[in-house]
Amino acid sequence: MSAHRIPFMSLIPGDDAADVRQAIDRVIARGWFVLGPEVSAFEEEFASASGAARAVGVGTGTDAIALILRALDIGPGDEVITSPLSAAYSALAVIMAGARPVFADIDPLRMTIDPDRIADLVGPRTRAILPVHLYGQPADMAAIARVAARYNLAIVEDACQAHLATAGGRPVGTIGIAGAFSFYPTKNLGALGDGGAVVTNDAALADRVARLRNGGQTDRYHHQEPGINSRLDDIQAAILRARLPRLRGWTERRRALAARYRSRLAGAPVELLPERDPGHVYHLFVVRTGERPALQAHLAAHGIETLIHYPVSIPRQPALAGQDPGQCPVAARVCGEILSLPLHPALRDDEVDEIAAAVHTFQPRTVVS
Ligand SMILES: *Cc1c(COP(=O)(O)O)cnc(C)c1O
């Protein structure tokens, strides 16, 4: 529990609590807990909500990315170009698949991978581009698709922060060959534990992911290829089914809160990230300042909890040291300036006003340019 008066978020079920409990009870009463009827029903419902032909439930968003790559036969000896500013799991998933992540620096305003930098990094081993729809804002998919077409690369979308988002009007996850979603509890659609899904319009790819997530089995105890154990469980699937009908309303609420932040923060001593696509679903509301530690302390003194997504760019993580990750100076600089303000569907308008007012009273030592 946060001691802050306005915590960053709360994971305790709210208006959906009764439905969530009923979903859990239904699964317990049935006694089928892994890859059962709730998982199949959720896969159909999530595919439909995401505008995709198929969805395959898996254990985590990280696994979803790694399983898509494996199902595309991308592995040892191959390179995947991805973003240096993301949850490190984006790149760790590439490593899990046996491939090497190569980092193209970000667009300094959109914060997603810069399509021009991608082209600079394509080499004979490059097989795919893994853009991340960071903070709920889609990457520049039109430009990324042009680069992918020119070099014959697959596009695998990390949509772990972008449930129901659209890029140029098209649902994320369906623009590339497949998309990965996470249902980690803090995500826009969260479970009460870990969960993930792959969405795709490619039936053969969906079938291969479904096989790989379950040990590579074709029939029970017949393993066609060395898959992994990354199954979605029925309690999580039932909880996600209870929440999915609310997701559109929650997303609209996030957008309304973000719009309120934008208007209330006009003239405040922070930089706002531009909304480059109306399909943005505001997983996070991030501001920039050259004086982040002071701003974070100022807000904490006003009882407002903030977080940093992310304090270290992925190429600079010690875990990547063996991968020759290259330099991404824009991402490295941005990591020192970004601050996430509270944003979740249960946040009230007056809380946004209070947070914005506290930001206005922050006195930076230097002027933000
Ligand atoms: C959460 C997240 C992941 C990993 O998802 P898990 O379900 O935690 O494995 C990957 N990429 C991004 C952008 C994320 O936000």
Side-chain angles (χ1 to χ4, degrees):
M1 274 303 289
S2 165
H4 296 84
R5 202 161 27 78
I6 304 183
F8 190 74
M9 69 185 306
S10 165
L11 296 176
I12 299 168
D15 58 353
D16 58 344
D19 290 347
V20 164
R21 224 170 254 287
Q22 203 174 55
I24 295 169
D25 287 344
R26 182 171 78 231
V27 176
I28 292 173
R30 185 188 298 119
W32 188 346
F33 297 107
V34 176
L35 292 189
E38 301 288 344
V39 173
S40 322
F42 174 68
E43 287 175 339
E44 277 188 28
E45 291 159 12
F46 188 68
S48 164
S50 306
R54 296 278 299 276
V56 181
V58 297
T60 67
T62 307
D63 286 352
I65 299 167
L67 287 170
I68 294 167
L69 295 175
R70 278 201 57 187
L72 293 170
D73 290 315
I74 295 172
D78 297 329
E79 293 178 353
V80 175
I81 297 176
T82 189
S83 174
L85 180 61
S86 179
Y89 294 99
S90 306
L92 296 178
V94 175
I95 297 172
M96 272 172 64
R100 188 170 90 91
V102 172
F103 298 94
D105 212 345
I106 55 169
D107 171 324
L109 292 175
R110 194 174 185 129
M111 299 288 185
T112 51
I113 195 167
D114 183 339
D116 293 333
R117 299 282 80 75
I118 296 174
D120 298 340
L121 293 165
V122 174
R125 296 172 179 276
T126 311
R127 294 285 313 280
I129 304 168
L130 176 69
V132 181
H133 304 306
L134 193 73
Y135 309 147
Q137 170 137 274
D140 183 356
M141 294 307 288
I144 291 168
R146 282 195 293 273
V147 181
R150 188 174 343 133
Y151 298 103
N152 193 27
L153 306 174
I155 299 173
V156 176
E157 297 174 66
D158 181 342
C160 288
Q161 301 188 353
H163 312 71
L164 300 190
T166 54
R170 295 174 65 189
V172 299
T174 68
I175 302 162
I177 183 76
F181 287 89
S182 168
F183 307 120
Y184 183 74
T186 61
K187 308 289 172 159
N188 287 22
L189 177 63
L192 298 186
D194 278 309
V198 170
V199 304
T200 181
N201 288 328
D202 183 320
L205 185 66
D207 290 341
R208 181 113 188 255
V209 169
R211 190 167 83 183
L212 284 168
R213 77 174 163 184
N214 194 23
Q217 292 180 82
T218 41
D219 297 303
R220 186 181 286 200
Y221 309 133
H222 289 80
H223 296 258
Q224 183 68 30
E225 60 179 331
I228 63 171
N229 184 346
S230 181
R231 302 175 295 225
L232 187 60
D233 74 73
D234 273 53
I235 287 184
Q236 299 308 337
I239 291 165
L240 292 166
R241 291 185 71 200
R243 290 179 161 178
L244 186 56
R246 294 177 160 84
L247 182 57
R248 201 148 297 273
W250 286 342
T251 302
E252 288 315 316
R253 180 65 188 149
R254 284 177 181 275
R255 287 174 171 152
L257 289 164
R260 194 174 186 95
Y261 265 129
R262 285 186 189 285
S263 81
R264 294 299 190 273
L265 285 172
V270 290
E271 232 183 283
L272 305 185
L273 306 187
E275 181 181 292
R276 288 286 194 241
D277 192 312
H280 196 326
V281 292
Y282 289 96
H283 175 57
L284 293 169
F285 192 86
V286 175
V287 299
R288 273 175 88 171
T289 166
E291 299 188 28
R292 182 175 63 199
L295 177 60
Q296 192 166 32
H298 172 81
L299 293 176
H302 284 76
I304 297 159
E305 184 181 25
T306 57
L307 294 176
I308 299 167
H309 301 90
Y310 297 87
V312 181
S313 73
I314 306 176
R316 296 199 170 191
Q317 297 282 357
L320 274 289
Q323 302 279 332
D324 185 21
Q327 295 299 313
C328 292
V330 178
R333 175 162 48 82
V334 158
C335 283
E337 300 178 353
I338 44 186
L339 188 66
S340 307
L341 304 181
L343 177 65
H344 55 84
L347 191 69
R348 298 190 313 265
D349 285 352
D350 65 285
E351 291 175 316
V352 169
D353 295 351
E354 190 182 329
I355 295 163
V359 174
H360 273 282
T361 62
F362 174 60
Q363 294 189 313
R365 278 171 297 120
T366 52
V367 177
V368 179
S369 60

